[in-house]
Amino acid sequence: MYIPYDKIGQTIALGFPKNSTRIIDFFNSIKVNANCKWISKNKKNVLKKLKQKFNKTPLKVVFYVYENCRWKSQSLYDLMLNDKRFEPLIVVTKNCSKEGNANYQTIEDIKITYNFFKEKGMNVEYGYDIEKDEFIPFEKFNPDIVFYSHPWYVETSQGPVVCSKFALTYYIPYFLPNTSHYIEYDLRFHQYIHKYYVLNNLIKDFYHKKQTRKSNNMVSAGHTQLDYFYLNKPSVPTKRTVIYSPHWTIRGIDNIAYSTFDWNGEAILEFAKSHPEIEWIFRPHPLLYKNLICTHFWSKEQTDNYYNEWKKIAKFSDCGNYLDIFNNSYAMITDCGSFLTEYLLSEKPVIHLVSQNAMEYNDAVKKITKSYYQAHNLYELNNYLKDVIINQNDYKKQDRINVLEELELRNNYCAANILKDIEGELNA
């Protein structure tokens, strides 16, 4: 049985008021419960099989990937690669978004992601048959474990409901938790996953409290993306390198509305042009380009012109690993969500471009943003550009270090925590 991964209680009307308790109860009892029972039944058999196999024969671990920019589990892959009990494999597939959607992918996009891993010498195979133009069911890869990095646009034969028949399914989100939005904890996908690894107990308790249908599959482990800073301590930059990273949600798309590009995108470009003594890096969200055009904010010509102006004065980066860039930079200017947590580990200053319409942050991110320089308008932005970037007056550094300690993000090796959790369950 396959159910699209939408929010619990939002899709069936049946004459009831939308989102009423009766709809939610109806949906849970018939659809989600049916799938959860199916998964639970399968899980018992899979666990029994893997317990017998573990420590004797290597477990085959498939990492589901459809875009290299969303690859955030390198530390776990590396740890498993060096452990004889596991055989990690990257399976590059295609998402299910339709043409016209900013997430839509072409065959060329799939090839680019495949080559990204191939050039790194990693174990990688296609999860999409390019010649036949069709998805390859994950069962053909014979996995014991499947790791997902996002809950949407997952094709049926590659999703956790189907995969539960032959593998344990795990979830490490490609993004760091940011908001109180249901997409982080209350999709049907979150009910179907065997284990959902979350940042810390603060986030775990928050998610559990907010869930419509309570689950017990969340494990506090940290985040594999942040392992980079465990393995590579924050550096002291030799150059004054500043990253500008605008989010893609121009005009408040998807109700997240992080983007502030409408009031500062061109102003920051002009500031960068007037300060060539600074080494600039333009790191837009990968979806910004398409979304500027799809939402008719700008024409393709205007969008191309803006990007080209940046490429004349800055290093351009919009895919692949960026943590080396973070670690060797001086500061960041951004309105991106996950970067607010990721960049904190570098201990460098952030000018946080604040959207008045953004979804409310969760408690962890609220603590983080208080340690940043928050600009709500051009006046505040210009003051921080002068004080923090030009004069290099970072008077909030100790605040950021205090937050790192409070949120237990320092010296936390997520990959090892996940391996320990898997070991504990399979050795029980």
Side-chain angles (χ1 to χ4, degrees), residues 279-291:
E279 187 174 279
W280 293 93
I281 296 176
F282 181 47
R283 174 79 195 196
H285 191 286
L287 292 179
L288 177 63
Y289 178 86
K290 289 182 180 179
N291 212 44

Side-chain angles (χ1 to χ4, degrees), residues 91-129:
V91 175
V92 173
T93 185
K94 184 178 184 290
N95 70 45
C96 289
S97 61
K98 305 298 182 182
E99 193 167 359
N101 185 315
N103 292 279
Y104 176 72
Q105 290 185 301
T106 65
I107 296 298
E108 187 59 31
D109 292 328
I110 304 172
K111 291 179 178 179
I112 289 172
T113 296
Y114 176 87
N115 289 332
F116 169 83
F117 293 104
K118 194 69 176 177
E119 289 169 4
K120 289 165 68 75
M122 298 172 67
N123 300 324
V124 59
E125 293 184 28
Y126 279 110
Y128 192 84
D129 192 318

Side-chain angles (χ1 to χ4, degrees), residues 138-261:
F138 269 15
E139 189 169 11
K140 291 188 176 181
F141 297 101
N142 196 30
D144 297 301
I145 289 173
V146 179
F147 275 95
Y148 295 92
S149 58
H150 59 83
W152 37 75
Y153 305 125
V154 180
E155 193 272 338
T156 308
S157 69
Q158 299 180 347
V161 177
V162 172
C163 289
S164 70
K165 189 176 180 180
F166 48 83
L168 294 180
T169 59
Y170 296 81
Y171 177 45
I172 305 171
Y174 72 89
F175 58 88
L176 275 292
N178 303 301
T179 73
S180 59
H181 202 287
Y182 67 80
I183 63 171
E184 296 188 12
Y185 55 83
D186 210 28
L187 300 176
R188 301 173 213 175
F189 174 90
H190 299 122
Q191 299 294 324
Y192 301 153
I193 286 292
H194 173 56
K195 291 283 184 72
Y196 176 6
Y197 292 111
V198 297
L199 188 65
N200 54 30
N201 284 322
L202 180 66
I203 298 298
K204 177 182 174 181
D205 294 342
F206 174 81
Y207 284 173
H208 193 266
K209 181 180 178 180
K210 298 281 287 185
Q211 282 184 319
T212 303
R213 185 180 189 275
K214 308 302 181 187
S215 62
N216 296 308
N217 61 353
M218 289 181 284
V219 177
S220 176
H223 198 289
T224 48
Q225 177 74 344
L226 303 181
D227 285 348
Y228 171 91
F229 295 100
Y230 176 88
L231 301 169
N232 302 272
K233 299 305 180 183
S235 68
V236 178
T238 56
K239 297 180 181 179
R240 191 166 22 149
T241 302
V242 177
I243 305 166
Y244 171 47
S245 186
H247 199 245
W248 70 282
T249 49
I250 191 73
R251 291 183 170 167
I253 195 164
D254 278 0
N255 299 317
I256 297 173
Y258 288 151
S259 178
T260 60
F261 189 85

Side-chain angles (χ1 to χ4, degrees), residues 40 60 168 186 309:
S40 180
K60 191 168 185 180
L168 294 180
D186 210 28
E309 287 298 302

Side-chain angles (χ1 to χ4, degrees), residues 320-335:
N321 181 43
Y322 49 80
L323 294 181
D324 282 338
I325 296 173
F326 281 15
N327 210 24
N328 295 313
S329 65
Y330 166 72
M332 174 182 281
I333 305 168
T334 191
D335 50 18

Side-chain angles (χ1 to χ4, degrees), residues 7-46:
K7 185 181 187 301
I8 291 174
Q10 274 202 333
T11 59
I12 299 178
L14 298 176
F16 299 129
K18 186 179 180 181
N19 290 332
S20 73
T21 302
R22 294 176 69 188
I23 289 182
I24 295 173
D25 291 342
F26 178 85
F27 183 84
N28 285 342
S29 63
I30 293 183
K31 302 256 183 171
V32 176
N33 284 348
N35 276 357
C36 286
K37 286 179 181 178
W38 158 264
I39 291 168
S40 180
K41 179 181 178 181
N42 292 334
K43 188 187 301 182
K44 292 176 183 177
N45 295 328
V46 173

